[in-house]
Amino acid sequence: MQVKKVLQYTGIAFVAFYLFTRPGDAASAVRGALDTVMGAADSLAQFFTALT
């Protein structure tokens, strides 16, 4: 359990450091992730539409 906590805090610290030192790159990464999620949702919607 202790290792899991250390890894979580390290991950959070890394994300915060990345956000504060390179905000433009962080925004691009979030935008890319959201585009991927939206693309997947659109693909699922097309799939279910084609079933009917």
Side-chain angles (χ1 to χ4, degrees), residues 1-20:
M1 284 304 252
Q2 192 67 16
V3 174
K4 185 178 177 181
K5 266 190 177 179
V6 170
L7 290 175
Q8 283 178 334
Y9 288 135
T10 303
I12 291 169
F14 176 74
V15 169
F17 175 77
Y18 187 66
L19 179 64
F20 289 121

Side-chain angles (χ1 to χ4, degrees), residues 37-52:
V37 169
M38 293 300 292
D42 187 46
S43 294
L44 281 172
Q46 289 178 7
F47 171 74
F48 283 113
T49 299
L51 289 177
T52 59

Side-chain angles (χ1 to χ4, degrees), residues 16-34:
F17 175 77
Y18 187 66
L19 179 64
F20 289 121
T21 58
R22 304 189 63 86
D25 292 339
S28 293
V30 170
R31 195 174 305 117
L34 289 177

